[in-house]
């Protein structure tokens, strides 16, 4: 049987994304946040269509309206859950323990299963609205089963100070992937959690050094100086693990009988994109802000009789003049929101997009000739969309 | 079907996905223009029957990253797609397809959205204003005295923190020794063996607000502003009696539990979990303590009975309410004060005067010196 491999190419242009992100961010601010459902939709359409395995773009078919509706449904459920739950917690906490700390702790812990639940539901929605070569993706409904598994795995990871993190990553990925479909063909996650261990070496060294620093620091505060080494090691180790575990997990995925995947993302590249992207974004933001401030000062100096540097100007600012006060508040609010909007937009352009591009371009599909045998799956209506994730503010970027 | 009006274009090629399998087929595209129904003819490589998509039904998939290619679909739910990479053909299609950029409009979507929004708002309101309060009222009656006391202790500390910038110690408690003696004398007079499940814990806070409020577990808080504003100890005694009424009816416990529920929901809507805003809101609710009209009237009645029982007049309490009402122009006192939170201060004042069974002759609750000590309890 002849082996055929599909490379993935990436088609997005920075400027196109910049304008799309900017336009929709401004609309989101102007509509007090309501446009964000459409903003997410449009950005996803862009990103999906940029990723082209074998030259055929992915397509995102979600809509803003269904996201807004899903959000409304989720808010009602959450209001019920949180209202009643907090009330009962407060009651139990005070009647049994005579304290409210337990209530606060529990009301936080009580949200965590919902968080995982929402994560899975959001994934289901996104997969149900993703198509490639005309076929829909999908994932079986199993959000609660996922939520309690995720809870236990996280507990294990925390109790073992991160040692079991690779195990958690593997089993949760396996849980999701084994339920994921492309058309009528199912994905399978093969391999075992120990296959991720080589990728975790530096993570473990970072954890070990940090514990050592804590132990030494307990006896002699000088020991805390070791944190200066161990924390960067931990952070880089974590990024390395994220990138390389993706590579290993991808290599062990199978679609149907024979379709396999290959990924080769590089830790250095990912780290570089984070550093450089954030640096460029913050430089542009700073320069823009400075230009804006200088512009305002020059404008005031040239087109009004006010001498900006005189005491009259200070006096005017201090005066109770309502118009001046409102003007100032308006300018400040505008600045504040502009900074947030621009930061989000620049992050999309200089971090999210290059990352996606790197992952896309280093991923390929082997034995792709088998794809033609796969047929369509029915539409998953799923009226609450990713409302729970929206209500909980999960999944920031896209 | 009439024949074509103009010679067909040279055929171009594109990728076609039928939406039934994951096959990508290289197909031949032609625009065939009829007078009534022009179509995009898709000729499959296997020589099967060509597929005709009416040009009026063609839709461009929006927000595509690759500006050089055009992804075409049909109006409706058909998942079949044509990816056109030939720029000439793409331009030609743009020229002849009238509805390429028309969005899919579901006529019922606005209606459904309106119904859903109204339903969501109504449900959240129902939860905050009906479900949580009803449950809170039930739970408040079941909460053991020790739990109630702990709830009060915690909220009292939160309120002291919220009322000052000094976050280390909170708003100071007034404790000039002579003033405390006078305060306790007043409390003893009003508290002749009343069987509360917990002791009344009376505090004066160093704040200019003309206000007093009760907290769960028997805490009663008077503000310095109220002591200064009162013209006689009997007026303060009236306020104290009123607050003891709230304690007896467990109003503050109900309010605290209600707030705990609705604060969580509010945090959800504002995207602030267990955050500072929630705590601030909670303390503000408790200071304002906007109980229902009925709860206020019940506490007034309680105060009237209590004062009468210990031989004190209730008319001064009425005077005090009237003065609070007159002060309403002063934002500091009127907007934040639990005592002035109900508009019908005149009615309440009249009720206090009517309930007076003692008149002008009584043993004053404090002597002139003790009253002065109490008013100066914060000067130490
Ligand atoms: Zn009251």
């Amino acid at each position: 049987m002849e082996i055929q491999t599909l490379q993935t190419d990436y088609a997005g242009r920075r400027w196109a994304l910049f304008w799309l992100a900017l336009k929709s961010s401004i609309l989101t601010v102007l509509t007090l946040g309501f446009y964000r459902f459409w903003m997410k939709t449009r950005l996803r359409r862009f990103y999906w269509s940029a990723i082209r395995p074998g030259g055929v773009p992915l397509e995102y078919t979600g809509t803003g309206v269904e996201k807004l509706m899903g959000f409304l449904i989720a808010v009602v459920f959450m209001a019920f859950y949180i209202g009643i739950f907090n009330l009962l917690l407060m009651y139990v906490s005070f009647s049994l323990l005579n304290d409210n700390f337990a209530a606060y702790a529990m009301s936080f812990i009580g949200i965590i299963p919902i968080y995982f639940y929402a994560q899975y539901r959001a994934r289901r929605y996104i997969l149900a609205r993703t198509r490639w070569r005309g076929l829909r993706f999908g994932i079986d409904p199993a959000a609660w089963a996922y939520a309690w598994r995720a809870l236990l795995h996280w507990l294990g990871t925390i109790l073992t100070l991160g040692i079991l993190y690779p195990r958690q990553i593997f089993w949760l990925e396996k849980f999701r992937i084994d339920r994921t479909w492309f058309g009528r063909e199912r994905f399978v996650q093969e391999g075992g959690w120990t296959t991720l261990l080589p990728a975790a070496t530096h993570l473990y060294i970072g954890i070990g050094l940090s514990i050592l620093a804590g132990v030494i620091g307990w006896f002699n505060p000088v020991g805390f100086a070791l944190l200066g080494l161990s924390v960067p090691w931990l952070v880089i180790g974590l990024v390395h693990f994220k990138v390389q575990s993706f590579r290993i997990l991808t290599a062990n995925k199978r679609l149907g009988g024979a379709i396999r995947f290959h990924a080769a993302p590089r830790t250095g590249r990912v780290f570089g994109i984070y550093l450089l992207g954030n640096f460029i974004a913050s430089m542009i933001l700073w320069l823009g802000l400075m230009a804006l401030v200088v512009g305002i000062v020059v404008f005031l100096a040239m087109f009004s009789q006010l001498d900006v540097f005189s005491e009259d100007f200070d006096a005017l600012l201090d005066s109770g003049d309502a118009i001046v006060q409102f003007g100032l508040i308006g300018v400040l609010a505008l600045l504040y929101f502009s900074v947030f909007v621009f930061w989000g937009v620049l992050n999309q352009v200089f971090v999210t997009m290059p990352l996606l591009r790197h992952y896309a371009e280093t991923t390929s599909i082997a034995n792709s000739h088998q794809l033609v045998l796969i047929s369509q799956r029915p539409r998953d209506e799923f009226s609450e969309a990713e409302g729970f994730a929206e209500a909980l503010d999960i999944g920031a970027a896209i | 079907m009439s024949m074509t009006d103009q010679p067909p274009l040279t055929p171009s090629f594109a990728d076609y996905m039928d939406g039934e399998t994951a096959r990508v087929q290289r197909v031949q595209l032609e625009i065939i223009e009829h007078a009534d129904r022009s179509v995009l003819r898709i000729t499959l490589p296997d020589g099967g029957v060509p597929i005709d998509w009416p040009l009026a039904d063609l839709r461009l998939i929006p927000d595509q990253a690759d500006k050089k290619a055009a992804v075409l679909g049909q109006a409706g739910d058909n998942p079949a797609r044509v990816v056109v990479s030939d720029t000439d053909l793409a331009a030609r299609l743009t020229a002849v397809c009238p509805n390429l950029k028309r969005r899919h409009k579901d006529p019922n979507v606005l209606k459904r959205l309106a119904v859903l929004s109204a339903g969501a708002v109504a449900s959240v309101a129902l939860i905050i204003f009906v479900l949580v309060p009803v449950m809170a009222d039930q739970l408040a009656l079941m909460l053991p005295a020790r739990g109630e006391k702990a709830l009060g202790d915690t909220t009292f500390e939160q309120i002291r923190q919220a009322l000052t910038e000094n976050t280390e110690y909170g708003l100071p408690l007034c404790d000039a020794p002579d003033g405390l003696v006078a305060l306790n004398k007043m409390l003893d007079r009003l508290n002749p063996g009343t069987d509360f499940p917990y002791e009344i814990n009376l505090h004066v806070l160093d704040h200019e607000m003309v206000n007093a409020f009760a907290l769960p577990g028997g805490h009663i808080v008077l503000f310095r502003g109220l002591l200064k504003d009162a013209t006689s100890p009997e007026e303060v005694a009236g306020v104290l009696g009123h607050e003891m009424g709230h304690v007896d009816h467990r109003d503050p416990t109900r309010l605290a539990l209600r707030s705990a529920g609705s604060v969580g929901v509010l945090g959800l809507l504002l995207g602030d979990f267990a955050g500072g805003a929630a705590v601030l809101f909670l303390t503000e609710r408790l200071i304002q303590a906007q109980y229902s009209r009925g709860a206020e009237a019940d506490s007034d009645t309680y105060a009237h009975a209590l004062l009468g029982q210990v031989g004190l007049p209730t008319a001064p309490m009425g005077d005090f309410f009237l003065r609070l009402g007159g002060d309403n122009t002063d934002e500091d006192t009127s907007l934040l004060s639990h005592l002035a939170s109900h508009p019908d201060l005149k009615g309440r004042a009249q009720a206090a005067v009517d309930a007076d069974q003692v008149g002008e002759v009584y043993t004053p609750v404090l002597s002139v010196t003790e009253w002065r000590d109490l008013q100066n309890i914060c000067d130490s």
Side-chain angles (χ1 to χ4, degrees):
Chain A
M1 199 182 278
E2 193 192 36
I3 304 278
Q4 186 192 348
T5 298
L6 291 183
Q7 300 297 330
T8 306
D9 47 87
Y10 187 90
R13 293 264 154 265
R14 260 186 231 285
W15 272 111
L17 174 64
F18 178 78
W19 284 119
L20 179 61
L22 186 66
K23 257 189 313 195
S24 45
S25 296
I26 290 173
L27 276 171
T28 299
V29 172
L30 292 181
T31 55
L32 304 175
F34 275 99
Y35 192 76
R36 72 173 185 275
F37 305 105
W38 284 267
M39 170 171 162
K40 252 188 186 171
T41 304
R42 300 192 64 183
L43 283 176
R44 278 192 195 147
R45 277 205 292 249
F46 180 91
Y47 280 124
W48 266 232
S49 69
I51 301 169
R52 299 153 27 118
V56 179
L58 295 178
E59 185 181 333
Y60 179 70
T61 60
T63 67
V65 173
E66 72 184 0
K67 286 190 188 64
L68 173 58
M69 289 185 178
F71 175 71
L72 291 173
I73 295 171
V75 158
V76 172
F77 275 100
M78 292 297 295
F80 182 81
Y81 174 77
I82 290 178
I84 302 303
F85 185 70
N86 272 20
L87 183 62
L88 287 175
L89 272 182
M90 200 76 158
Y91 172 75
V92 170
S93 177
F94 275 110
S95 56
L96 296 182
L97 303 165
N98 302 322
D99 185 39
N100 67 348
F101 178 74
Y104 284 130
M106 279 302 294
S107 101
F108 177 68
I109 292 169
I111 287 293
I112 296 176
I114 311 247
Y115 182 92
F116 295 127
Y117 172 82
Q119 240 177 4
Y120 192 90
R121 301 281 282 191
R123 192 185 182 90
R124 180 170 156 206
Y125 167 71
I126 289 173
L127 282 171
R129 298 293 180 268
T130 298
R131 291 186 203 156
W132 181 58
R133 290 178 162 225
L135 296 199
R136 302 184 182 97
F137 286 82
I139 188 168
D140 297 333
W144 284 120
Y146 178 77
W148 71 258
R149 274 180 181 80
L151 203 67
L152 289 183
H153 275 296
W154 266 109
L155 203 66
T157 298
I158 291 168
L159 290 180
T160 57
L161 299 171
I163 304 295
L164 288 186
Y165 185 57
R167 187 172 178 273
Q168 170 200 335
I169 292 292
F170 176 80
W171 283 108
L172 291 182
E173 177 77 354
K174 183 164 172 59
F175 185 90
R176 293 183 300 246
I177 290 301
D178 288 356
R179 286 162 181 74
T180 302
W181 299 77
F182 173 61
R184 291 193 186 279
E185 198 66 271
R186 194 194 273 273
F187 283 90
V188 181
Q189 178 68 56
E190 296 174 333
W193 77 276
T194 46
T195 53
L196 299 185
L197 282 178
T201 316
H202 291 285
L203 179 66
Y204 284 158
I205 293 175
I207 294 173
L209 283 178
S210 299
I211 296 172
L212 193 66
V215 172
I216 298 174
W218 180 267
F219 296 107
N220 185 350
V222 177
F224 287 126
L226 188 57
L227 287 176
L229 175 70
S230 73
V231 171
W233 205 313
L234 188 68
V235 172
I236 296 174
L238 188 62
V239 174
H240 180 69
F241 177 72
K242 289 254 178 203
V243 177
Q244 295 312 315
S245 64
F246 175 83
R247 176 178 63 78
I248 296 166
L249 287 169
T250 305
N252 287 319
K253 282 183 178 67
R254 176 162 58 78
L255 172 60
I259 301 168
R260 298 203 153 269
F261 304 87
H262 178 74
R266 295 188 299 279
T267 306
R269 185 69 188 278
V270 169
F271 212 77
I273 290 172
Y274 269 119
L275 286 183
L276 191 68
N278 277 300
F279 176 74
I280 295 175
S282 44
M283 280 323 268
I284 294 178
L285 196 67
W286 270 117
L287 288 176
L289 261 181
M290 259 150 57
L292 194 70
V293 170
V294 169
I296 289 172
V297 171
V298 169
F299 176 83
L300 283 177
M302 282 176 67
F303 295 100
S304 71
Q305 291 86 348
L306 283 173
D307 182 350
V308 188
F309 301 103
S310 78
E311 283 169 13
D312 289 353
F313 189 67
D314 283 345
L316 181 64
L317 291 185
D318 288 340
S319 76
D321 190 341
I323 296 170
V324 175
Q325 297 289 334
F326 273 117
L328 265 179
I329 291 171
V331 167
L332 283 180
L334 198 69
L335 258 168
Y336 180 80
F337 282 116
S338 316
V339 166
F340 270 89
V341 164
F342 269 100
W343 181 248
V345 170
L346 291 169
N347 243 289
Q348 296 276 347
V349 173
F350 290 106
V351 181
T352 311
M353 180 179 139
L355 273 181
L356 219 56
R357 172 178 204 143
H358 178 60
Y359 275 102
E361 287 178 343
T362 53
T363 300
S364 57
I365 305 171
N367 295 341
S368 55
H369 55 281
Q370 298 261 354
L371 283 168
V372 299
L373 303 173
I374 304 176
S375 57
Q376 183 66 291
R377 62 185 289 103
R379 185 178 151 85
D380 183 354
E381 274 306 331
F382 204 41
S383 64
E384 135 262 307
E386 52 187 353
F388 280 98
E390 278 284 350
L392 287 167
D393 213 7
I394 299 174
I398 42 168
Chain B
M1 209 185 273
S2 65
M3 282 306 294
T4 48
D5 301 332
Q6 51 186 138
L9 278 153
T10 41
S12 323
F13 293 90
D15 288 331
Y16 172 71
M17 290 155 279
D18 57 15
E20 286 159 20
T21 67
R23 263 188 311 176
V24 181
Q25 303 182 74
R26 198 68 184 159
V27 293
Q28 187 181 319
L29 291 186
E30 287 167 282
I31 297 171
I32 297 183
E33 294 187 72
H34 301 288
D36 56 340
R37 186 170 173 273
S38 301
V39 296
L40 178 71
R41 171 153 297 173
I42 302 166
T43 310
L44 299 173
D46 58 13
V49 185
I51 299 161
D52 284 349
W53 284 5
L55 293 187
D57 286 355
L58 279 188
R59 296 288 184 276
L60 204 56
I61 307 301
D63 295 323
Q64 293 294 298
D66 185 3
K67 298 295 176 202
K68 280 179 292 203
V71 182
L72 296 169
Q74 272 188 297
D77 275 340
N78 184 2
R81 293 286 182 267
V82 173
V83 182
V84 180
S85 305
D86 178 340
T87 41
D88 288 342
L89 178 65
R92 174 99 180 106
L93 280 167
T94 315
V96 295
C97 297
N99 303 322
L100 267 187
K101 294 196 173 173
R102 177 181 287 185
R103 296 285 169 78
H104 169 70
K105 281 218 177 68
D106 180 352
N108 292 322
V109 79
L110 271 181
K111 208 172 122 198
R112 267 168 50 214
L113 199 57
V115 169
L116 199 59
S117 307
V121 170
S123 310
V124 172
L126 200 72
I127 290 165
I128 293 183
F129 297 114
V130 179
L131 193 58
V132 167
V134 165
M135 277 187 69
D137 290 354
Q138 294 304 314
L139 291 176
L141 296 177
M142 288 155 58
L143 192 63
R146 275 192 58 202
E148 224 176 327
K149 178 107 176 54
L151 178 59
D153 293 346
T154 321
T155 37
F156 182 50
E157 286 313 313
Q158 280 170 359
I159 286 172
R160 282 182 64 192
Q161 299 291 343
L163 284 172
T164 177
E165 265 121 60
N166 178 359
T167 46
E168 205 174 331
Y169 297 110
L171 193 67
L173 287 171
C174 299
D175 55 358
D178 294 341
L180 282 181
V181 170
L183 193 66
N184 284 329
K185 186 178 172 190
M186 181 183 284
L187 184 60
D188 285 346
R189 173 95 178 247
L190 283 183
N191 204 4
T194 325
D195 49 346
F196 285 118
Y198 21 67
E199 287 214 349
I200 293 288
N201 227 324
L202 186 56
H203 320 272
V204 178
L205 279 178
D206 194 0
H207 196 282
E208 75 275 1
M209 208 189 289
V210 181
N211 195 10
F213 56 86
L215 290 177
H219 286 281
I220 292 177
V221 181
L222 304 174
F223 283 17
R224 167 169 51 84
L226 180 126
L227 294 177
K228 295 281 185 193
D229 220 47
T231 55
S232 74
E234 283 70 28
E235 291 182 4
V236 179
V239 170
L240 193 54
H242 173 87
E243 298 306 333
M244 285 165 78
H246 283 311
V247 171
D248 189 51
H249 302 139
R250 297 195 153 187
D251 292 330
T253 311
R254 259 173 244 187
L255 189 71
L257 287 180
R258 281 178 187 198
S259 305
S262 39
V263 156
V265 180
L266 226 81
L268 163 79
L269 297 181
L270 301 174
D272 166 87
F273 283 102
V279 174
L280 265 183
F281 175 79
L282 187 95
T283 52
E284 200 226 13
R285 286 270 310 250
L286 283 170
I287 299 172
Q288 280 192 34
Q290 294 194 348
Y291 303 118
S292 70
R293 224 168 244 257
E296 293 300 344
D298 287 350
S299 286
D300 282 350
T301 313
Y302 181 93
H304 302 158
L306 184 63
L307 291 179
Q309 211 180 327
V310 299
L312 284 173
T314 52
M317 189 179 158
D319 296 343
F320 189 68
F321 282 149
L322 274 187
R323 273 214 311 289
L324 271 181
D327 267 333
N328 259 353
T329 43
D330 187 349
E331 276 184 33
D332 257 6
T333 57
S334 63
L335 282 183
L336 270 173
S337 175
H338 144 228
L339 293 171
S341 66
H342 284 269
D344 189 26
L345 277 173
K346 271 197 188 127
R348 289 172 66 191
Q350 191 55 50
V353 173
D354 292 346
D356 201 333
Q357 301 155 359
V358 177
E360 303 288 327
V361 187
Y362 54 88
T363 320
V365 66
L366 295 180
S367 72
V368 176
T369 340
E370 286 165 336
W371 172 229
R372 200 191 53 227
D373 290 342
L374 179 57
Q375 283 197 301
N376 296 331
I377 192 172
C378 296
D379 309 338
S380 62

